[in-house]
């Protein structure tokens, strides 16, 4: 039976790649697809999500939800990597705006439709999920599992010296979600930065002769260039794809249950994810943290999944 999943994302290059892969993954049923502001502002993220769905034209159209900006919009985003349009200038035909509903409502409806059977995969800031549970306080009991791409447990962030971007971009939402009484798994930078997609990996991507192959090459090449320019890295990180693989293949991840809290203020520390590793922690163990992944299997599954989507 395919896993029922809500994909909450901020496309963004790697979020877009997740959608390209997941839309035709037979092991997954996307029951809802929601956009959130993050890599790019909420409006751009919504437009990109709709354009991608239209481009991919999946056999079963999931319900679409549109996220609105967080209450305290962050001053930083990831346009230096993803371009001002979030998709490195790939000019996808502007989607005719389907009447999309607020993301928090779509999340709540999708979970309530099949209680205890729907997982949430959060690939951007946690704005939509926090709003969904504030709107519908009974919801957490009905969510099967929340997978979160975000956080940094070793103290090294990516958007500030100690904060990871998805957490930093809406700290209050993150605080709410980390405290929810449901099973949660965090896929932090500690593991997602241990793997890079390298320029020569493009050889394993679907050929540019295919429609999807062409799109993927056009997304990834400029992103690789931007990673090199901004960070001096040879390859790029694929945080969101790794989180997807952990959600779909949990046995590829080693995890540790930890008490983790979010720092919501602090000139230097805002957005930090802090684990209390003392033998008697001050707060309860609230989240399973991925500490290791099977990198080879993940990389292989990325190539295979993209190939399957290109050749469907
Ligand atoms: C996260 O931030 C975004 O730039 C990526 O899409 C990923 O979700 C990594 O910190
Ligand atoms: Ca993302």
């Amino acid at each position: 039976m395919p896993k029922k999943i809500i994909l909450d994302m901020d496309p963004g290059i790697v979020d877009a790649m997740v959608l390209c892969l997941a839309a035709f993954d037979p092991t997954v049923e996307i029951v809802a697809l929601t956009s959130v502001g993050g890599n790019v502002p909420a409006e751009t993220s919504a437009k990109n999500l709709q354009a991608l769905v239209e481009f991919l034209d999946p056999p079963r159209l999931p319900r679409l939800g549109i996220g609105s900006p967080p209450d305290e919009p962050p001053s930083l985003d990831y346009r230096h990597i993803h371009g001002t349009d979030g998709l490195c200038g790939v000019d996808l035909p502007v989607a005719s705006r389907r009447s999309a509903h607020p993301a928090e409502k779509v999340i709540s409806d999708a979970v309530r439709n099949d209680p205890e059977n729907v997982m949430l995969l959060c690939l951007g800031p946690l704005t939509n999920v926090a709003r969904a549970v504030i709107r519908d306080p009974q919801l957490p009991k009905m969510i099967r599992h929340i997978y979160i791409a975000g956080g940094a447990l070793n103290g090294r962030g990516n958007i500030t010296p100690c904060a990871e971007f998805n957490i930093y971009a809406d700290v209050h939402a993150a605080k709410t979600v980390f405290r929810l009484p449901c099973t949660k798994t965090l896929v932090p930078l500690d593991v997602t930065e241990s793997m890079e997609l390298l320029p020569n990996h493009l050889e394993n991507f679907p050929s540019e002769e295919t429609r999807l192959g062409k799109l993927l090459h056009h997304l990834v090449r400029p992103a690789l260039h931007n990673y090199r320019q901004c960070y001096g890295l040879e390859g790029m990180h694929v945080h969101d794809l790794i989180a997807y693989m952990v959600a779909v293949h949990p046995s590829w991840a080693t995890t540790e249950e930890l008490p983790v809290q979010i720092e919501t203020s602090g000139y230097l520390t805002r957005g930090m994810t802090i684990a209390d590793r003392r033998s008697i922690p001050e707060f309860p163990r609230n989240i399973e943290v991925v500490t290791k992944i099977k990198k080879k299997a993940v990389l292989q599954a990325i190539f295979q999944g993209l190939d399957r989507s290109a050749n469907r």
Side-chain angles (χ1 to χ4, degrees), residues 113-135:
N113 218 11
D114 196 354
E116 293 170 40
N117 206 17
V118 175
M119 321 191 303
L120 259 153
L121 174 57
C122 305
L123 302 179
L126 295 164
T127 316
N128 293 335
V129 186
R131 287 190 178 149
V133 298
I134 290 167
R135 179 183 185 276

Side-chain angles (χ1 to χ4, degrees), residues 44-308:
T44 313
S45 177
K47 183 172 156 240
N48 289 348
L49 187 69
Q50 293 213 355
L52 285 162
V53 170
E54 215 153 282
F55 174 90
L56 291 166
D57 188 23
R60 254 194 297 169
L61 220 47
R63 219 167 147 221
L64 278 191
I66 299 300
S68 35
D71 299 335
E72 281 178 31
S75 50
L76 301 165
D77 61 29
Y78 257 99
R79 282 182 278 190
H80 54 292
I81 294 292
H82 304 269
T84 43
D85 66 344
L87 297 177
C88 282
V90 169
D91 200 13
L92 287 180
V94 179
S96 53
R97 275 248 174 154
R98 276 178 40 203
S99 69
H101 297 279
E104 57 268 31
K105 177 174 187 300
V106 171
I107 291 174
S108 156
D109 289 352
V111 171
R112 281 187 170 272
N113 218 11
D114 196 354
E116 293 170 40
N117 206 17
V118 175
M119 321 191 303
L120 259 153
L121 174 57
C122 305
L123 302 179
L126 295 164
T127 316
N128 293 335
V129 186
R131 287 190 178 149
V133 298
I134 290 167
R135 179 183 185 276
D136 183 353
Q138 301 305 317
L139 205 64
K141 295 204 285 282
M142 298 178 223
I143 299 174
R144 184 181 185 99
H145 201 127
I146 306 184
Y147 288 90
I148 300 166
L153 272 294
N154 63 9
R156 203 186 73 192
N158 59 356
I159 195 72
T160 73
C162 55
E164 181 278 333
F165 177 70
N166 287 342
I167 303 298
Y168 173 86
D170 194 342
V171 286
H172 301 291
K175 182 176 174 185
T176 302
V177 174
F178 273 58
R179 290 182 168 186
L180 292 180
C182 56
T183 315
K184 303 175 286 302
T185 299
L186 188 71
V187 190
L189 292 184
D190 316 47
V191 288
T192 60
E193 286 192 344
S194 70
M195 200 179 128
E196 279 179 29
L197 184 78
L198 298 165
N200 69 311
H201 285 145
L202 281 175
E203 289 160 20
N204 301 86
F205 270 41
S207 128
E208 281 191 80
E209 306 293 303
T210 64
R211 209 170 145 260
L212 183 65
K214 191 168 170 197
L215 171 71
L216 290 166
H217 285 263
H218 283 198
L219 289 172
V220 172
R221 268 198 229 109
L224 283 164
H225 171 83
N226 294 346
Y227 258 86
R228 205 165 38 244
Q229 291 282 109
C230 297
Y231 307 130
L233 289 178
E234 191 50 33
M236 61 185 271
H237 294 133
V238 287
H239 315 277
D240 314 273
L241 275 164
I242 296 174
Y244 176 80
M245 290 305 169
V246 169
V248 177
H249 305 281
S251 65
W252 293 354
T254 309
T255 60
E256 184 183 359
E257 205 167 3
L258 289 170
V260 181
Q261 300 255 323
I262 308 297
E263 175 67 286
T264 56
S265 61
Y267 174 65
L268 289 171
T269 53
R270 184 182 170 94
M272 197 170 178
T273 34
I274 300 165
D276 189 346
R277 295 177 190 272
R278 292 172 297 176
S279 54
I280 305 176
E282 213 167 290
F283 31 87
R285 293 176 201 278
N286 55 339
I287 195 160
E288 201 179 70
V289 177
V290 176
T291 54
K292 219 172 148 195
I293 43 159
K294 293 195 174 162
K295 291 185 213 164
K296 245 188 169 167
V298 168
L299 203 57
Q300 210 49 42
I302 292 173
F303 299 147
Q304 276 168 2
L306 292 175
D307 206 55
R308 181 180 49 226

Side-chain angles (χ1 to χ4, degrees), residues 10 15 39 123-124 240:
D10 59 337
D15 296 71
N39 283 319
L123 302 179
D240 314 273

